[in-house]
Amino acid sequence: MRAWVHMFFDWLGIEQTFDTPLPVLDGNAYIRVVVEQGEITEGGSLASPAFSHRGSFCDSVLIRASGHCLVMSGNPSRWGRVENLWGLRSIDLCVEKFNEILREIYADFDFIPQFTKCTRVFYEDGSAMKHIGADGAIIKELHVTKNFTVGAGNERKYLSAISRLPYRNSVPNLFTNGFGVDWKSKKGNASLIYPCIYAKANELELHSLDKIIKTFGPESDEVEHLKRVIDLCWAVGLVRYELKLKYRYLQRNGLTYWGMSDFAKLHLLMDEFTDLDKTLSVSNMTFETISQQLYSSGIVDSTRAANTTAMYAYQWMHGQEFDLNKSQTKTHRARLRKIGIDIARPCNVSQFSPIKMVSCTEIHRQEIMPPSWYQLPSTGLRLVG
């Protein structure tokens, strides 16, 4: 079970060119031709526009077949599940999930395309360096993720602190709601890597819960499971580290050829990203204003009374003197003295603060394993030649 604290994949983009023309699925198709002086001089193969193949759990993958080339993208860890808090831990498992989907889609055709591992890389004529293809599947995009906990209620504090740190020459940006942070270039781009950290419970509530309720009904087992996962995320303060690796990055680092590339590099990349907070000391601090202290301590029984007494403290802080013989002043002075403020004495601004820190908890980020009730993704492999 320990392996499940490691990183996993929640997006794959992949393509392969086959020797056999791909079957054309039902729907629209087109043939690309070259026209010169009103005459067709060159005709292309039959191709289908990209289409979204939807599963049974509000999950989907995008597929585009063009002649001999098949392009597919989506979240293999999410397929057949209402969530992917923990997902598939290897590219082999992700590709097999895509192949499983292809077997379903092309079940009625003689040729069922299956992504296969590369054994050879092809080079441009006269070049020993410029790759032009391979005899297997080429990885176009990868998203790698890892889960951590920061404690219930600490997500925003933790993410706010992280948002002060640069990553790989990129500028941090805290999300408007405080539940996420990402890094982009100064021009707002992320052409190689798009890093982000976010509170998973908030993400599931925003993007998944309503869809699952609408599809299965509010009393369904699927909704009950998703709510249980969301409750778990809130209870432990689960934050997800995610790196979205674009094709240019994969190319530069030799990570495009399934079966030949060394994907162990991804673990080092993720370790570098998750070490980002080692330079931080993050604390979750709770503060109270004077009026809040008066009310929470039971010194007054209404927020109106608390605010009125607090005004005496603010005026005193700005140098105002009071007639201590007045009964009203005596009442407010008595209240304030119970929280350590005496308006009969001159205010020492260097020692006085209108805000009181009532608690301070240091936030420790920890790895997390799935609980015993969590439904882990299926990891059955089928060999493809």
Side-chain angles (χ1 to χ4, degrees):
M1 184 64 72
R2 172 70 183 172
W4 288 102
V5 303
H6 296 160
M7 75 175 197
F8 51 92
F9 299 86
D10 72 352
W11 191 270
L12 172 66
I14 191 170
E15 73 172 37
Q16 184 167 341
T17 299
F18 297 89
D19 295 332
T20 304
L22 294 167
V24 179
L25 300 172
D26 293 342
N28 297 325
Y30 60 88
I31 298 178
R32 182 173 295 167
V33 297
V34 177
V35 179
E36 292 183 3
Q37 297 181 351
E39 298 291 333
I40 297 176
T41 60
E42 183 181 339
S45 56
L46 192 64
S48 301
F51 76 98
S52 178
H53 176 64
R54 300 189 179 278
S56 303
F57 296 88
C58 301
D59 44 354
S60 66
V61 292
L62 192 67
I63 299 174
R64 179 167 57 85
S66 178
H68 293 250
C69 182
L70 180 66
V71 181
M72 190 170 180
S73 62
N75 187 341
S77 292
R78 175 72 169 76
W79 188 261
R81 309 169 70 204
V82 298
E83 46 75 32
N84 65 311
L85 186 58
W86 281 275
L88 299 171
R89 295 184 293 110
S90 75
I91 294 176
D92 285 3
L93 294 173
C94 293
V95 178
E96 169 52 27
K97 182 61 66 175
F98 275 12
N99 280 337
E100 176 187 316
I101 297 170
L102 291 174
R103 291 194 292 269
E104 296 174 0
I105 295 173
Y106 288 94
D108 296 331
F109 295 90
D110 293 334
F111 175 58
I112 300 176
Q114 296 282 273
F115 293 111
T116 58
K117 291 186 176 182
C118 298
T119 60
R120 289 185 302 153
V121 174
F122 305 133
Y123 297 88
E124 189 177 74
D125 289 342
S127 171
M129 297 294 293
K130 188 172 182 180
H131 297 180
I132 59 172
D135 63 348
I138 296 176
I139 307 296
K140 305 292 287 187
E141 186 172 359
L142 281 175
H143 297 183
V144 292
T145 66
K146 194 171 183 180
N147 295 329
F148 293 92
T149 64
V150 296
N154 293 337
E155 299 93 338
R156 281 176 167 167
K157 290 286 184 182
Y158 178 80
L159 293 168
S160 176
I162 287 287
S163 70
R164 301 197 300 264
L165 300 176
Y167 174 68
R168 296 178 67 92
N169 299 318
S170 295
V171 179
N173 170 58
L174 185 65
F175 293 2
T176 305
N177 65 5
F179 281 118
V181 58
D182 62 11
W183 286 261
K184 295 181 181 179
S185 70
K186 293 179 180 179
K187 295 182 178 180
N189 301 319
S191 58
L192 297 177
I193 299 179
Y194 175 55
C196 58
I197 310 173
Y198 55 91
K200 187 61 180 176
N202 176 257
E203 188 265 341
L204 288 171
E205 289 181 345
L206 286 178
H207 301 296
S208 297
L209 185 56
D210 288 345
K211 293 179 182 178
I212 299 301
I213 291 175
K214 184 177 180 180
T215 301
F216 296 99
E219 305 299 325
S220 63
D221 291 341
E222 290 79 7
V223 170
E224 181 181 353
H225 170 76
L226 183 57
K227 286 184 175 180
R228 193 176 187 185
V229 169
I230 292 172
D231 289 343
L232 168 68
C233 293
W234 285 128
V236 299
L238 194 145
V239 295
R240 170 169 287 185
Y241 279 66
E242 182 166 299
L243 291 172
K244 299 180 180 181
L245 310 178
K246 308 299 182 67
Y247 184 53
R248 283 180 57 198
Y249 178 85
L250 298 174
Q251 274 186 311
R252 290 185 182 184
N253 292 274
L255 297 169
T256 56
Y257 301 111
W258 181 48
M260 295 180 66
S261 297
D262 179 13
F263 294 109
K265 299 176 184 178
L266 298 177
H267 293 274
L268 299 176
L269 181 67
M270 178 57 78
D271 287 344
E272 176 194 29
F273 183 41
T274 56
D275 283 347
L276 189 65
D277 70 352
K278 286 189 175 180
T279 60
L280 279 178
S281 176
V282 187
S283 296
N284 183 20
M285 293 176 286
T286 304
F287 298 93
E288 281 188 339
T289 63
I290 292 173
S291 58
Q292 289 172 331
Q293 292 177 59
L294 291 166
Y295 186 73
S296 63
S297 301
I299 298 170
V300 296
D301 57 7
S302 70
T303 55
R304 181 178 180 180
N307 290 334
T308 302
T309 299
M311 283 303 300
Y312 275 75
Y314 294 127
Q315 291 170 350
W316 166 76
M317 183 178 66
H318 287 89
Q320 182 168 331
E321 296 181 357
F322 301 94
D323 184 350
L324 300 177
N325 294 317
K326 288 186 176 180
S327 59
Q328 191 175 26
T329 303
K330 291 179 180 179
T331 299
H332 294 299
R333 182 193 175 197
R335 292 174 180 174
L336 291 169
R337 288 182 69 183
K338 292 180 180 179
I339 60 172
I341 298 173
D342 189 353
I343 61 174
R345 297 181 177 183
C347 175
N348 186 339
V349 179
S350 65
Q351 296 179 348
F352 173 74
S353 173
I355 302 291
K356 175 187 176 185
M357 187 174 70
V358 295
S359 67
C360 179
T361 305
E362 188 172 355
I363 298 175
H364 295 279
R365 193 200 68 186
Q366 297 178 325
E367 294 181 334
I368 178 174
M369 292 193 301
S372 59
W373 53 263
Y374 184 78
Q375 301 172 18
L376 295 169
S378 171
T379 58
L381 277 174
R382 170 176 169 173
L383 294 177
V384 179

